[in-house]
Amino acid sequence: MAHVALTLTRRWARMPLALRIGIVYVLARVVTTGFLIAAASVSTVFSRFGDDAGLIDFVLGWDAQWYWQVAVHGYPSDLPLTDDGQVAENAWAFMPVFAYAAKALGFVLGSWAAGALVLSLGAGYLACLALHRLLRDRVGNAAALWAVVFFASGPLAALFQVGYAETLFLLLLFLALDATIRRNYAWLYVLIPVLGFTRPGVLAFALYLGLHGILRWRRRRTDPLGAREVVHIVALGALATATGFAWQLIAGVVTGDPGAYLATELAWRRHWIVGGVEGFVPFEGWVQASHFWFELWGLPPGWGPVALVVLVLAAAAALLLSPQVRALGPDLRLWSASYLLYLLAVFFPQSSTFRLLLPLSPAWGAVAIPRSRAWRLGVLALCLLGQWVWIYHVYALGSTFWQVP
């Protein structure tokens, strides 16, 4: 047996990296498909998907319906209104790249759903390759491959095979981070605009570029920073910032309402706040949510902001002090800090919070650093358990406010 295991290990090591990651990815997708089939089999009339749910229903479920609507009907020139005259949920909350790329693929494959599924699956595999490239020089090839295993099998792995823009966004993000770290700045002039029109988050990348530039400036004596690179970093930061606000401008021009995009985003938040939301105030969402969730859980609402402060301090401590996180290098830690600050500024934490944490996926590299086989297999087991729990609740049972992916 030992000889057979050694032979298999050697054969595995001799395989091209793309093939090894492909095998990992296919196996992960088989497991996820099994979970989705199981969820469909236990779906009831009380679920959003009914008691006759199938895999295609899950592909088109939840936010995928909005991307489909964008692909088929485009964006409304007149904002829909609720009975009390407020802006209702509408397609302006969803960026166009994924919707129309899936439509182009669907033209060949026969339907938008087929195009969306193939796009998500293909982008997911390429994102795994990009994640390994991003991590290997920092944590080593073996740990980088384990990070890919955790990434492909994680609690939200169902998003690799439904009509969401997440995998395409992650692919573009990993490529952009890798280009920045390797100082191939020219690629970012292409990646940033596409990233910005795939899903929200490019403003976090703008902040990261600013911090990256400050880091390069501070280290210029040991790591020379030429004038040309300074120009690139400043120009790219400006491009990312402009791209981050461009969708708001486009929505305002098309609808004739300068606040169309923010009003659309706040339409979802009104479901959570008693009395509604009058306008967007940075960082207010997390404070409001801390009161909301603690009251819902039967805890004193005043404890919510205290817990929020503790959570922020814990995240900061992990980024600054954890040896495993520090091993990822300053750029990936700066990106993580930038994205967390962005979420803290603009997001109202609710059932989609876990999905919105996916851009922190390079942190899987820190989880993969310990070489203990028991540790790595234990993490994988927790990933799969979390994946089933998530799929069961948002697809098999998905019917209430906290069961939206």
Side-chain angles (χ1 to χ4, degrees):
M1 289 293 293
H3 176 71
V4 172
L6 181 60
T7 300
L8 291 175
T9 300
R10 287 174 176 172
R11 287 181 179 176
W12 173 258
R14 287 197 295 266
M15 286 182 186
L17 177 64
L19 178 58
R20 279 183 284 161
I21 290 178
I23 292 172
V24 166
Y25 188 68
V26 169
L27 291 175
R29 301 286 61 77
V30 169
V31 171
T32 299
T33 301
F35 286 157
L36 289 172
I37 290 173
S41 70
V42 297
S43 181
T44 70
V45 292
F46 301 105
S47 165
R48 176 187 179 92
F49 301 98
D51 58 355
D52 58 347
L55 291 181
I56 190 64
D57 298 307
F58 294 160
V59 172
L60 288 171
W62 300 116
D63 285 3
Q65 281 290 308
W66 286 106
Y67 287 113
W68 172 83
Q69 183 169 317
V70 168
V72 174
H73 302 293
Y75 294 93
S77 56
D78 296 315
L79 292 173
L81 301 178
T82 62
D83 292 338
D84 56 359
Q86 294 182 312
V87 174
E89 299 171 359
N90 66 85
W92 282 109
F94 299 87
M95 304 297 182
V97 169
F98 179 84
Y100 289 115
K103 181 178 182 179
L105 277 174
F107 180 78
V108 176
L109 298 174
S111 70
W112 186 89
L117 177 60
V118 170
L119 180 57
S120 288
L121 284 170
Y125 169 64
L126 294 176
C128 288
L129 292 176
L131 180 62
H132 188 279
R133 174 180 167 85
L134 183 62
L135 293 174
R136 68 189 182 197
D137 293 339
R138 289 152 193 85
V139 301
N141 283 313
L145 187 56
W146 273 102
V148 169
V149 172
F150 301 149
F151 172 62
S153 308
L156 276 73
L159 294 176
F160 284 94
Q161 47 202 91
V162 296
Y164 274 54
E166 261 64 21
T167 58
L168 181 58
F169 181 84
L170 291 173
L171 168 61
L172 296 167
L173 173 64
F174 297 162
L175 291 175
L177 288 171
D178 189 66
T180 306
I181 293 171
R182 297 178 188 276
R183 296 155 193 193
N184 296 323
Y185 296 120
W187 284 103
L188 295 176
Y189 290 99
V190 176
L191 289 169
I192 285 174
V194 182
L195 184 73
F197 287 99
T198 298
R199 67 179 299 280
V202 75
L203 286 175
F205 198 81
L207 175 58
Y208 158 67
L209 283 172
L211 296 175
H212 168 81
I214 293 171
L215 179 68
R216 294 281 325 265
W217 178 258
R218 290 188 61 186
R219 295 182 172 182
R220 65 190 183 280
R221 290 185 177 84
T222 56
D223 181 9
L225 176 64
R228 185 174 183 179
E229 289 185 317
V230 172
V231 171
H232 275 310
I233 294 170
V234 172
L236 289 166
L239 175 63
T241 302
T243 303
F245 288 105
W247 192 243
Q248 296 183 41
L249 178 62
I250 293 170
V253 169
V254 173
T255 63
D257 180 352
Y261 176 73
L262 286 179
T264 296
E265 289 287 359
L266 291 176
W268 271 268
R269 191 178 297 187
R270 292 191 192 99
H271 295 302
W272 304 83
I273 303 298
V274 176
V277 182
E278 293 187 6
F280 171 72
V281 178
F283 302 103
E284 183 182 48
W286 282 82
V287 177
Q288 292 174 328
S290 68
H291 287 285
F292 172 86
W293 286 108
F294 269 67
E295 186 174 2
L296 184 68
W297 295 333
L299 299 172
W303 290 5
V306 177
L308 176 60
V309 171
V310 172
L311 182 64
V312 171
L313 291 176
L319 290 173
L320 291 171
L321 303 176
S322 168
Q324 291 78 19
V325 177
R326 289 175 65 87
L328 298 178
D331 271 283
L332 291 182
R333 288 192 294 145
L334 289 176
W335 159 250
S336 298
S338 299
Y339 188 71
L340 287 172
L341 184 61
Y342 166 79
L343 285 186
L344 194 64
V346 306
F347 187 55
F348 181 94
Q350 28 87 0
S351 61
S352 297
T353 301
F354 299 108
R355 173 169 61 87
L356 294 183
L357 292 176
L358 279 174
L360 299 176
S361 291
W364 281 120
V367 179
I369 285 177
R371 296 184 178 183
S372 166
R373 180 172 297 179
W375 167 263
R376 287 169 170 172
L377 292 177
V379 171
L380 178 58
L382 289 175
C383 284
L384 295 176
L385 175 61
Q387 186 181 156
W388 166 246
V389 169
W390 193 79
I391 288 173
Y392 177 70
H393 281 289
V394 303
Y395 287 107
L397 302 182
S399 61
T400 189
F401 65 93
W402 62 271
Q403 293 173 326
V404 181

